[in-house]
Amino acid sequence: MFEAKPLNIHTYLSPNEIEKHLENVEYIIMAAPSMMAAPELPLHFSIFLNTSDTIPEAVKSQLLAKFCQEHAITQTSHVLSNLERIAFAVTSQETPMPRHILDEAEANTIPWRLMHIIDFLGDSQGFKEAKDGLSGWSYSYN
C-alpha cells in the first residue's frame, strides 16, 4: 500500500529568487483534500495568479468560471478572491510549493510576494490524487 509522506520544507525562496522563479508563470493551481467535514465539497483549490494588480469584482467571478471550466470543477463554495501574501517553499518536489501566509508573525519571518489568489472548495473528477488524500500543484507558463 502506498503511504504518503508529509512534505518537509527545507527553506523558502528569497524575494529575488521569487521574482526570478515567477518569470513566465501565468498561474499556479494547487489541489488538496478539503479539511472541512462532509457535506462540504471534498477538494480545496488555490489558484495563484502571477499578478499583484487589483482585479475588479466583476472580473473575479469570470476568472473563477474560466478556471472551473478548464479544470472540470463542477461545484464551488467558500470562495476567497483577493490579493494575499504568498511564500514559496523549497521541498523535495521539483517546483517550489506556493504557500498562503496568513499569520502576521510568520509574514515577518518568511519572504513572500503579494499575489492574487482564488481559494475555494470544489469538486472535480480530474483530481483523483487529492481525493485520495494527496496535495499537489502545477505551474502554467505563458
Coordinates of all heavy atoms in Angstrom, one line a residue, residues 9-42:
I9 N 9.6 21.2 4.5 CA 10.1 22.4 3.9 C 11.5 22.6 4.3 O 11.8 22.7 5.5 CB 9.2 23.6 4.4 CG1 7.8 23.4 3.9 CG2 9.8 25.0 4.0 CD1 6.7 24.4 4.4
H10 N 12.4 22.7 3.3 CA 13.8 22.9 3.6 C 14.2 24.4 3.8 O 15.0 24.7 4.7 CB 14.6 22.3 2.4 CG 14.3 20.9 2.1 ND1 14.6 19.9 3.0 CD2 13.8 20.3 1.0 CE1 14.2 18.7 2.5 NE2 13.7 18.9 1.3
T11 N 13.6 25.2 3.0 CA 13.8 26.7 3.1 C 12.7 27.4 2.2 O 11.9 26.7 1.7 CB 15.2 27.0 2.6 OG1 15.5 28.4 2.8 CG2 15.4 26.7 1.1
Y12 N 12.8 28.7 2.2 CA 11.9 29.5 1.4 C 12.7 30.3 0.4 O 13.9 30.7 0.7 CB 11.1 30.4 2.2 CG 10.0 29.7 3.0 CD1 10.3 29.2 4.3 CD2 8.8 29.5 2.5 CE1 9.3 28.6 5.0 CE2 7.8 28.8 3.2 CZ 8.1 28.4 4.5 OH 7.1 27.7 5.2
L13 N 12.2 30.5 -0.8 CA 12.8 31.4 -1.8 C 12.9 32.8 -1.2 O 12.0 33.3 -0.5 CB 12.1 31.4 -3.1 CG 11.9 30.1 -3.9 CD1 11.2 30.4 -5.2 CD2 13.3 29.5 -4.1
S14 N 14.0 33.5 -1.5 CA 14.2 34.9 -1.1 C 13.4 35.7 -2.1 O 12.9 35.3 -3.1 CB 15.7 35.2 -1.3 OG 16.0 35.3 -2.7
P15 N 13.2 37.0 -1.8 CA 12.4 37.9 -2.7 C 13.0 37.9 -4.1 O 12.2 37.8 -5.0 CB 12.6 39.3 -2.0 CG 12.7 38.9 -0.5 CD 13.5 37.7 -0.5
N16 N 14.3 37.9 -4.3 CA 14.9 37.9 -5.6 C 14.7 36.6 -6.3 O 14.4 36.5 -7.5 CB 16.4 38.2 -5.6 CG 16.7 39.7 -5.3 OD1 15.8 40.6 -5.5 ND2 17.8 40.0 -4.8
E17 N 14.8 35.5 -5.5 CA 14.5 34.2 -6.1 C 13.0 34.0 -6.5 O 12.7 33.4 -7.5 CB 14.9 33.1 -5.1 CG 16.4 33.0 -4.9 CD 16.7 32.0 -3.7 OE1 16.0 32.1 -2.7 OE2 17.8 31.3 -3.8
I18 N 12.1 34.6 -5.7 CA 10.7 34.5 -6.1 C 10.5 35.2 -7.4 O 9.8 34.7 -8.3 CB 9.8 35.2 -5.0 CG1 9.9 34.3 -3.7 CG2 8.4 35.3 -5.4 CD1 9.2 35.0 -2.5
E19 N 11.0 36.4 -7.6 CA 10.8 37.2 -8.8 C 11.4 36.4 -10.0 O 10.7 36.3 -11.0 CB 11.5 38.5 -8.7 CG 10.8 39.5 -7.8 CD 9.3 39.7 -8.0 OE1 8.9 39.9 -9.2 OE2 8.5 39.6 -7.1
K20 N 12.5 35.8 -9.9 CA 13.1 35.0 -11.0 C 12.3 33.8 -11.2 O 12.1 33.4 -12.4 CB 14.6 34.7 -10.6 CG 15.3 33.9 -11.7 CD 16.8 33.8 -11.4 CE 17.5 32.9 -12.3 NZ 17.5 33.2 -13.7
H21 N 11.9 33.1 -10.2 CA 11.1 31.9 -10.3 C 9.8 32.1 -11.0 O 9.3 31.3 -11.8 CB 10.8 31.3 -8.9 CG 9.9 30.2 -8.9 ND1 10.3 28.9 -9.4 CD2 8.7 30.0 -8.4 CE1 9.3 28.1 -9.3 NE2 8.3 28.7 -8.7
L22 N 9.2 33.3 -10.8 CA 7.8 33.6 -11.4 C 7.9 34.1 -12.8 O 6.8 34.4 -13.4 CB 7.1 34.5 -10.5 CG 6.6 33.9 -9.2 CD1 5.9 34.9 -8.3 CD2 5.7 32.7 -9.4
E23 N 9.1 34.3 -13.3 CA 9.2 34.8 -14.7 C 8.5 33.8 -15.6 O 8.7 32.6 -15.5 CB 10.7 35.0 -15.2 CG 11.3 36.1 -14.5 CD 12.8 36.2 -14.9 OE1 13.3 35.5 -15.8 OE2 13.5 37.1 -14.3
N24 N 7.6 34.3 -16.5 CA 6.9 33.5 -17.4 C 5.8 32.6 -16.8 O 5.2 31.8 -17.5 CB 7.8 32.7 -18.4 CG 8.7 33.6 -19.2 OD1 8.3 34.6 -19.7 ND2 10.0 33.2 -19.2
V25 N 5.6 32.7 -15.5 CA 4.5 31.9 -14.9 C 3.2 32.7 -15.0 O 3.1 33.9 -14.7 CB 4.8 31.6 -13.4 CG1 3.5 31.1 -12.7 CG2 6.0 30.7 -13.2
E26 N 2.2 32.0 -15.6 CA 0.9 32.7 -15.7 C 0.1 32.5 -14.4 O -0.5 33.4 -13.8 CB 0.1 32.1 -16.9 CG -1.2 32.7 -17.1 CD -1.9 32.2 -18.4 OE1 -1.5 31.2 -18.9 OE2 -3.0 32.7 -18.7
Y27 N 0.0 31.2 -13.9 CA -0.7 30.9 -12.7 C -0.2 29.6 -12.2 O 0.5 28.8 -12.9 CB -2.2 30.9 -12.9 CG -2.7 29.8 -13.7 CD1 -3.1 28.5 -13.2 CD2 -2.9 30.0 -15.1 CE1 -3.5 27.5 -14.0 CE2 -3.4 29.0 -15.9 CZ -3.7 27.7 -15.3 OH -4.2 26.7 -16.1
I28 N -0.5 29.3 -10.9 CA -0.2 28.0 -10.3 C -1.6 27.5 -9.7 O -2.3 28.3 -9.1 CB 0.8 28.2 -9.1 CG1 2.0 28.9 -9.6 CG2 1.1 26.8 -8.5 CD1 2.8 29.6 -8.5
I29 N -1.9 26.3 -9.9 CA -3.1 25.7 -9.4 C -2.6 24.6 -8.4 O -1.7 23.8 -8.6 CB -4.1 25.1 -10.4 CG1 -5.3 24.6 -9.7 CG2 -3.4 24.0 -11.3 CD1 -6.5 24.4 -10.7
M30 N -3.3 24.6 -7.2 CA -3.0 23.7 -6.1 C -4.3 23.0 -5.8 O -5.3 23.7 -5.6 CB -2.4 24.4 -4.9 CG -2.1 23.5 -3.8 SD -1.3 24.4 -2.4 CE 0.4 24.1 -2.7
A31 N -4.2 21.7 -5.6 CA -5.4 20.9 -5.1 C -5.0 20.1 -3.9 O -3.9 19.5 -3.9 CB -5.9 20.0 -6.3
A32 N -5.9 20.0 -3.0 CA -5.6 19.2 -1.7 C -7.0 18.7 -1.2 O -8.0 19.3 -1.6 CB -5.0 20.1 -0.7
P33 N -7.0 17.7 -0.4 CA -8.2 17.3 0.2 C -8.8 18.4 1.1 O -8.0 19.1 1.7 CB -7.8 16.1 1.1 CG -6.4 15.7 0.7 CD -5.8 16.9 0.1
S34 N -10.1 18.6 1.1 CA -10.7 19.6 2.0 C -10.5 19.1 3.4 O -10.6 18.0 3.7 CB -12.2 19.7 1.6 OG -12.8 20.5 2.6
M35 N -10.3 20.1 4.3 CA -10.2 19.9 5.7 C -11.5 20.0 6.4 O -11.6 19.7 7.6 CB -9.2 20.8 6.3 CG -7.8 20.7 5.7 SD -7.0 19.2 6.0 CE -6.4 19.3 7.6
M36 N -12.5 20.3 5.7 CA -13.9 20.5 6.2 C -14.7 19.2 6.2 O -14.5 18.4 5.2 CB -14.6 21.7 5.5 CG -13.8 23.0 5.7 SD -14.7 24.4 4.9 CE -15.9 24.7 6.2
A37 N -15.5 19.0 7.2 CA -16.2 17.8 7.3 C -17.4 17.8 6.2 O -17.9 18.8 5.8 CB -16.8 17.6 8.7
A38 N -17.8 16.6 5.8 CA -18.9 16.4 4.9 C -20.1 17.0 5.6 O -20.2 17.1 6.8 CB -19.2 14.9 4.7
P39 N -21.0 17.6 4.9 CA -21.3 17.5 3.5 C -20.5 18.6 2.6 O -20.9 18.8 1.5 CB -22.8 17.7 3.4 CG -23.1 18.7 4.5 CD -22.1 18.4 5.6
E40 N -19.5 19.2 3.2 CA -18.8 20.2 2.4 C -18.1 19.5 1.2 O -17.9 18.3 1.2 CB -17.7 20.9 3.2 CG -18.3 21.8 4.3 CD -19.0 23.0 3.8 OE1 -18.9 23.4 2.7 OE2 -19.8 23.6 4.7
L41 N -17.8 20.3 0.2 CA -17.1 19.8 -1.0 C -15.8 19.2 -0.7 O -15.1 19.6 0.3 CB -17.0 20.9 -2.0 CG -18.4 21.5 -2.5 CD1 -18.2 22.7 -3.4 CD2 -19.1 20.4 -3.3
P42 N -15.4 18.1 -1.4 CA -14.2 17.3 -1.0 C -12.8 17.9 -1.3 O -11.8 17.4 -0.8 CB -14.4 16.0 -1.8 CG -15.2 16.4 -3.0 CD -16.1 17.6 -2.6

